[in-house]
Amino acid sequence: LATQQVELGAHQIGRGQVLVGAGELAKGIGNTIVEGAKFTGKKLAEAGRAAGPDATNAWARSKEGAVAFGSGVRDFFVDLFGG
């Protein structure tokens, strides 16, 4: 629909119907932007869903690593100072 509106508007402008053609052209451009935004939003949502499990797993591994490191440091000082 948007492509047809742009083409129709361009043809109308070419035939000298500048105001009518400009209006149709503007509607077509607006619809193109709306459709592009919808498509982009859909793709971003899909990417977020696809990355979700990996991002969650990466965070969990990072958290486990930090906890293990903290425990190791604590154990080192307990052993060093005989806690």
Side-chain angles (χ1 to χ4, degrees):
L1 176 68
T3 303
Q4 293 169 343
Q5 287 174 317
V6 171
E7 289 175 357
L8 177 61
H11 284 101
Q12 288 173 328
I13 290 171
R15 289 189 301 241
Q17 299 172 324
V18 178
L19 291 178
V20 174
E24 197 66 29
L25 188 67
K27 285 192 286 187
I29 291 170
N31 286 331
T32 300
I33 292 169
V34 168
E35 291 303 315
K38 287 179 185 177
F39 178 80
T40 301
K42 180 181 174 187
K43 291 299 176 185
L44 286 173
E46 290 173 4
R49 283 192 297 274
D54 289 337
T56 300
N57 290 339
W59 170 248
R61 286 192 300 271
S62 298
K63 182 180 170 188
E64 290 167 3
V67 169
F69 175 75
S71 295
V73 170
R74 182 196 65 219
D75 293 346
F76 171 79
F77 283 107
V78 166
D79 290 344
L80 183 65
F81 294 110

